[in-house]
Amino acid sequence: MLTTLAMLMSLSATATAPMVAQQRGGEVDVELVLAVDTSRSMDYEEVRVQREGYVEALKHKEFIDAVKTGLTGRIAISYFEWAGDVVPESIIDWTVIENEQDAINFAAKLEARPINTQRRTSISAAIAQGATMIVANSYRGMRQVIDVSGDGPNNSGNPVVPARNKAMEAGIIINGLAIMLRPSGAAGGLDKYYGDCVIGGPGSFVLPVHEIEDFAVAVRRKLVLEISGLTPGTTVQKAAANQPSSDCLVGEKQWQDLFDR
């Protein structure tokens, strides 16, 4: 386990490990990390609606019912924001949710955070941070999931595919929410890029969001699916053995082209 942790942390020199000593630990149905993009390719209004979507989803009856109907009836959840790097002060450490009040309390912590945006997009840093937090915690989940939301391809830090593959080797599932409010430059669409280059693990999936008003419903649907261990029928899926058909370095190439002008 220590070898795995060191390997994952090496993917991102800035991965910020949580404070394990404060955790209760124990068995949970799922260990779920919410990794949320706050890059400047989204304007303030979009980031605000995204935040409200997570807050609303966490307090919704469908989410709470999904938690209660699990085998143990409890999940461990954490949250952080990322752009060109993980934002250390955005980390909400591991919290057990097993009833409505737990969910409301966690949502309140998120709602109280100031809304800020940062430069660049490093999905690889988000995956490395999420994997480090999962491997280092004291919970025993039947599933470990990193839930990545983003509006563009990786263009900073390490390439995304090695980070994704290392997390998968540790038994972690990565799901995606592709925010497609404007063109991303990824051939075939950002959902295809996420399907080929970002998500991975048994039952992994990506949900697209095309309209800002659909964000809250999409977040709620994704959380319920992740907690229940279900897979939506209409998603872009990727088997680990398949060779990606998308250019997984498209974001890096876009940034280099912009830099060279």
Side-chain angles (χ1 to χ4, degrees):
M1 184 66 75
L2 290 175
T3 301
T4 304
L5 176 57
M7 175 179 65
L8 291 167
M9 291 186 70
S10 70
L11 288 169
S12 174
T14 56
T16 306
M19 298 174 62
V20 178
Q22 294 181 359
Q23 301 168 5
R24 289 188 302 168
E27 292 186 357
V28 293
D29 290 311
V30 60
E31 300 163 50
L32 177 61
V33 179
L34 304 180
V36 177
D37 182 6
T38 55
S39 59
R40 288 178 183 162
S41 51
M42 293 189 287
D43 61 30
Y44 180 87
E45 179 67 10
E46 290 166 353
V47 175
R48 182 187 64 78
V49 171
Q50 177 180 235
R51 169 73 62 79
E52 290 176 355
Y54 277 95
V55 170
E56 179 182 321
L58 289 163
K59 296 190 291 186
H60 200 278
K61 184 178 185 298
E62 286 184 22
F63 170 76
I64 297 164
D65 287 348
V67 171
K68 290 180 178 180
T69 56
L71 190 62
T72 69
R74 64 202 301 258
I75 68 167
I77 190 170
S78 59
Y79 172 98
F80 66 84
E81 294 168 358
W82 60 275
D85 207 341
V86 174
V87 183
E89 60 270 21
S90 73
I91 298 173
I92 300 177
D93 207 358
W94 290 103
T95 301
V96 170
I97 294 179
E98 50 189 333
N99 56 50
E100 181 179 13
Q101 191 58 54
D102 293 337
I104 290 172
N105 291 345
F106 188 86
K109 291 180 183 178
L110 175 55
E111 193 170 22
R113 278 200 40 73
I115 295 175
N116 293 306
T117 58
Q118 300 82 30
R119 296 176 67 250
R120 306 287 296 272
T121 300
S122 184
I123 302 172
S124 59
I127 292 174
Q129 173 70 26
T132 299
M133 292 174 70
I134 286 173
V135 173
N137 75 35
S138 58
Y139 295 99
R140 298 186 303 278
M142 287 176 275
R143 286 174 295 112
Q144 296 82 34
V145 180
I146 302 173
D147 177 337
V148 180
S149 68
D151 77 331
N154 194 81
N155 65 25
S156 180
N158 294 316
V160 66
V161 170
R164 186 270 311 277
N165 291 347
K166 291 297 184 184
M168 288 174 58
E169 288 172 14
I172 296 169
I173 299 165
I174 304 169
N175 295 326
L177 186 70
I179 304 170
M180 302 172 66
L181 306 181
R182 56 179 61 88
S184 66
L190 187 63
D191 52 350
K192 188 176 189 308
Y193 172 87
Y194 262 65
D196 289 339
C197 308
V198 178
I199 68 171
S204 60
F205 63 88
V206 53
L207 294 180
V209 177
H210 296 282
E211 303 292 339
I212 195 168
E213 57 267 24
D214 297 333
F215 195 90
V217 173
V219 170
R220 183 171 75 245
R221 183 184 179 208
K222 181 164 56 75
L223 292 182
V224 169
L225 289 168
E226 287 167 335
I227 293 167
S228 305
L230 302 175
T231 302
T234 54
T235 57
V236 179
Q237 302 246 2
K238 177 189 178 299
N242 289 350
Q243 194 69 21
S245 60
S246 295
D247 181 359
C248 295
L249 294 174
V250 63
E252 287 85 347
K253 292 175 182 176
Q254 289 172 350
W255 186 263
Q256 188 61 49
D257 288 345
L258 181 64
F259 184 78
D260 290 341
R261 290 176 186 173

